[in-house]
Amino acid sequence: MQAVKWGEYRLGDLFEVLSYKKRFDANKVTFVGNGGHPYIVRQGSDNGQKGFIDEDKSCLNDGNTISFGQDTATMFYQEKPYFTGDKIKILKPKLERFGKDNAQFFLATMRRSFSNFGWGTSSFSIEVIENQTITLPVTDNNEIDFDFMESFIRELEEERIRELSAYLTVSGLSDATLTEREKLALQNFDTLEWQEFRMGDLFDRVSTAKLPYKAADLPKEATAENPLPCLTSSFMNQGLNYYAPKENATVLKHVISIPSNSDVYRAYYQSHDFTVLSDAYAIRWNLNDREISAQEYLFMVACINQVTDLPIYSYKNKLGGWNVVQDKYIMLPVCNGVLDYEAMQDFISAVQKLVIKDVVKYAEDKINATKKVVKNNDEYKTNEDKSFLSVAESADYKEIPR
């Protein structure tokens, strides 16, 4: 990477910036499980995909394009045709070779160009997007070096799969077999008894020290001086997008975070050390009958989001802080009139295994595909060349991705 020759390109010379064919309102669409097409909105998670909808096919936007949130600067590669919500622009490539093998490289340099953007402070017009400049690797003939980009992305993918394989092994998640209790939890979910609970009766807001920093002045990656993730109102990366010193900070974990001034009021379970910076807060279980497990917290987060993470709430129509949320009522499963902790624990444990099962298969398929390449390619003759496989299969590998 350090030896690469770089060139500057205007986005409008690489992509045609288009408006959606039709805007579909999140409050008026019906989400479907099968037979629909991706519904892309301005959110920063799940590739911008809120779900699948089945609407007029003539309103589909082309696949092999980039979706761009005008007032969020969230951008994702969309391989297949898709519908959109409000304020989404479609970047259609003018380059014949643009595709899924190199799109992530384009997105990385585009996000870097838009990194100074402040969420919710402006809205990018077509002209602004077109005139944004990005840098790309070029050949000696000053042409875009697609070969380098694609090989670099493949190497990164292999590295991530290597770490994923090692993580699944050492954490015991490589075996995604459901226990009998977990099977029953899935089978019995529709027959659970539910009861309303006031959030303020279940949780307390955690008091935190006010930090003397502004988000714009903090790094977006951890450093030796700034190792502690900071919670803000962002819904990207669970609201943890900045890093601050640990000194004088209230360090929290094993709590739920909720934004207090956002466009999306999505709660998250925070399992690692972090601190609160601005426009958000943390809540902790306050009933004394037992400690809450990570799986039980995850179940409750999903229930909380049924009343907080709603399309009606935005910067213009705010949900409010804990003074409002504590009086919201959520539905939780009960057994004989008391909270059914076992149902929550077993259900989330089963869901995690079902998700991990697909991840394990993905990792295994990637490793097997690489084994075939290694076996049939004379370029891979040394242990160094086979580092991806050797490390992934080594019981001594201890680096666990967060």
Side-chain angles (χ1 to χ4, degrees):
M1 179 67 82
Q2 293 177 352
V4 170
K5 181 180 178 182
W6 296 88
E8 288 191 347
Y9 294 87
R10 178 178 167 271
L11 269 181
D13 296 330
L14 305 177
F15 297 91
E16 184 179 2
V17 184
L18 306 172
S19 295
Y20 44 68
K21 293 184 179 179
K22 181 179 178 180
R23 177 181 69 85
F24 291 89
D25 192 327
N27 294 316
K28 298 179 181 179
V29 298
T30 301
F31 292 98
V32 298
N34 298 308
H37 291 272
Y39 174 55
I40 306 301
V41 296
R42 291 168 289 162
Q43 69 184 30
S45 58
D46 300 326
N47 215 58
Q49 182 176 299
K50 195 172 182 66
F52 291 84
I53 62 175
D54 188 12
E55 299 289 344
D56 183 355
K57 303 298 188 295
S58 66
C59 298
L60 282 167
N61 303 285
D62 291 340
N64 195 43
T65 57
I66 292 175
S67 61
F68 185 98
Q70 279 185 267
D71 58 359
T72 57
T74 49
M75 56 200 85
F76 299 101
Y77 174 68
Q78 306 296 342
E79 183 179 358
K80 299 178 180 179
Y82 55 100
F83 298 107
T84 63
D86 194 19
K87 293 188 177 180
I88 296 288
K89 294 300 181 187
I90 292 87
L91 276 61
K92 185 175 182 178
K94 297 179 179 180
L95 305 165
E96 290 186 6
R97 195 167 165 178
F98 176 84
K100 65 178 182 179
D101 292 334
N102 51 56
Q104 297 306 321
F105 202 108
F106 279 85
L107 287 170
T109 187
M110 286 171 59
R111 287 170 181 146
R112 186 179 181 87
S113 288
F114 286 97
S115 61
N116 293 328
F117 166 74
W119 201 101
T121 59
S122 62
S123 184
F124 291 102
S125 65
I126 289 179
E127 182 180 3
V128 169
I129 298 172
E130 288 178 337
N131 288 324
Q132 191 74 12
T133 299
I134 66 172
T135 56
L136 293 171
V138 295
T139 65
D140 291 337
N141 297 326
N142 290 320
E143 296 178 349
I144 296 177
D145 196 343
F146 285 96
D147 288 336
F148 171 79
M149 289 192 290
E150 291 171 6
S151 65
F152 186 77
I153 292 298
R154 282 196 301 270
E155 289 180 15
L156 284 180
E157 183 182 53
E158 289 178 358
E159 179 185 347
R160 297 299 185 267
I161 293 296
R162 176 192 71 200
E163 294 179 353
L164 173 60
S165 178
Y167 170 70
L168 293 173
T169 299
V170 300
S171 62
L173 293 173
S174 55
D175 181 8
T177 304
L178 295 177
T179 66
E180 289 302 318
R181 282 181 49 171
E182 290 164 348
K183 291 178 182 178
L184 284 174
L186 294 175
Q187 295 171 4
N188 298 335
F189 183 79
D190 290 338
T191 62
L192 287 175
E193 180 183 354
W194 298 80
Q195 183 176 318
E196 277 191 335
F197 293 87
R198 178 179 172 272
M199 284 189 59
D201 295 331
L202 302 176
F203 302 94
D204 286 328
R205 177 172 176 169
V206 183
S207 178
T208 58
K210 183 174 178 59
L211 297 178
Y213 314 114
K214 292 184 178 179
D217 298 328
L218 294 174
K220 294 185 177 181
E221 295 182 358
T223 66
E225 296 78 17
N226 297 272
L228 188 62
C230 292
L231 179 70
T232 65
S233 63
S234 170
F235 52 86
M236 294 182 286
N237 195 35
Q238 298 199 177
L240 305 173
N241 297 288
Y242 303 94
Y243 292 82
K246 280 191 173 182
E247 290 76 17
N248 301 318
T250 305
V251 180
L252 303 172
K253 71 175 180 178
H254 196 51
V255 295
I256 293 173
S257 66
I258 307 177
S260 58
N261 184 27
S262 181
D263 199 47
V264 177
Y265 291 86
R266 186 171 301 143
Y268 293 106
Y269 169 61
Q270 305 290 357
S271 60
H272 296 272
D273 287 352
F274 77 100
T275 192
V276 176
L277 181 62
S278 62
D279 295 326
Y281 57 94
I283 59 175
R284 180 180 285 136
W285 187 250
N286 69 7
L287 295 186
N288 296 322
D289 55 347
R290 71 195 302 274
E291 285 290 324
I292 297 299
S293 70
Q295 286 77 15
E296 290 158 357
Y297 258 138
L298 286 169
F299 192 103
M300 293 176 188
V301 162
C303 298
I304 291 171
N305 282 330
Q306 293 295 311
V307 300
T308 63
D309 186 17
L310 301 178
I312 60 173
Y313 297 125
S314 65
Y315 275 111
K316 295 181 179 179
N317 183 29
K318 299 181 188 299
L319 168 66
W322 181 238
N323 61 316
V324 173
V325 176
Q326 66 180 344
D327 290 323
K328 297 285 185 182
Y329 282 79
I330 62 173
M331 301 291 290
L332 291 174
V334 295
C335 182
N336 298 323
V338 297
L339 281 165
D340 194 344
Y341 297 105
E342 287 188 359
M344 291 187 276
Q345 171 74 31
D346 293 340
F347 180 79
I348 293 298
S349 180
V351 170
Q352 286 178 321
K353 285 187 176 181
L354 291 176
V355 173
I356 288 295
K357 183 177 181 180
D358 290 337
V359 174
V360 171
K361 184 178 185 304
Y362 173 78
E364 289 176 347
D365 289 346
K366 286 290 185 181
I367 289 173
N368 289 333
T370 305
K371 283 181 178 178
K372 293 179 182 178
V373 172
V374 171
K375 182 178 180 180
N376 298 318
N377 194 328
D378 290 336
E379 293 179 6
Y380 296 87
K381 291 183 178 179
T382 67
N383 289 333
E384 287 77 18
D385 290 327
K386 298 180 183 179
S387 59
F388 160 51
L389 291 175
S390 62
V391 176
E393 296 170 345
S394 170
D396 294 331
Y397 184 72
K398 299 300 182 185
E399 181 180 348
I400 309 301
R402 177 171 170 180

